[in-house]
Amino acid sequence: MRAERLISEARAELATDIDRTATRLERLDEHGSRGVEALRLELRSLRNDLEAHEGMHAQAAQEQKAARRWTIGLVAGLIAPLYPLIITAVVR
């Protein structure tokens, strides 16, 4: 499904960002206090990525909810006209 694909892509991006951040944290000792600004930028970027991930997750949940509603409506719409025939068949 599209929603599952979006979620898996977002998770892969986050994993890459976390690995990149970890690498930069390891380099922080090499550069002393100069690395603090880079760390702040990476953390800001990670926060933005997390917010985007949460937004995509919410969007995927909404899409799944809409798909469920359509499916229920379609099934009910197909069964409703056949209801009198089903009742007749059961009664006999």
Side-chain angles (χ1 to χ4, degrees):
M1 294 179 78
R2 181 175 182 258
E4 292 172 359
R5 183 178 46 84
L6 289 174
I7 291 171
S8 65
E9 288 174 1
R11 285 184 180 159
E13 280 184 43
L14 286 175
T16 303
D17 288 343
I18 289 171
D19 289 341
R20 191 171 3 124
T21 301
T23 302
R24 290 194 179 187
L25 280 173
E26 291 170 1
R27 291 186 198 156
L28 183 62
D29 289 336
E30 297 172 8
H31 299 291
S33 63
R34 292 180 294 165
V36 173
E37 186 62 30
L39 178 61
R40 286 181 62 218
L41 292 174
E42 280 300 312
L43 288 175
R44 185 179 304 139
S45 173
L46 182 59
R47 186 187 73 214
N48 291 338
D49 290 345
L50 285 172
E51 289 172 356
H53 174 71
E54 288 174 356
M56 287 191 331
H57 183 68
Q59 179 185 3
Q62 289 295 330
E63 289 177 2
Q64 286 179 345
K65 189 182 284 187
R68 255 185 260 124
R69 287 180 183 158
W70 273 99
T71 302
I72 290 170
L74 181 64
V75 169
L78 291 174
I79 291 176
L82 298 176
Y83 185 71
L85 294 174
I86 294 170
I87 296 298
T88 304
V90 170
V91 171
R92 287 186 180 187

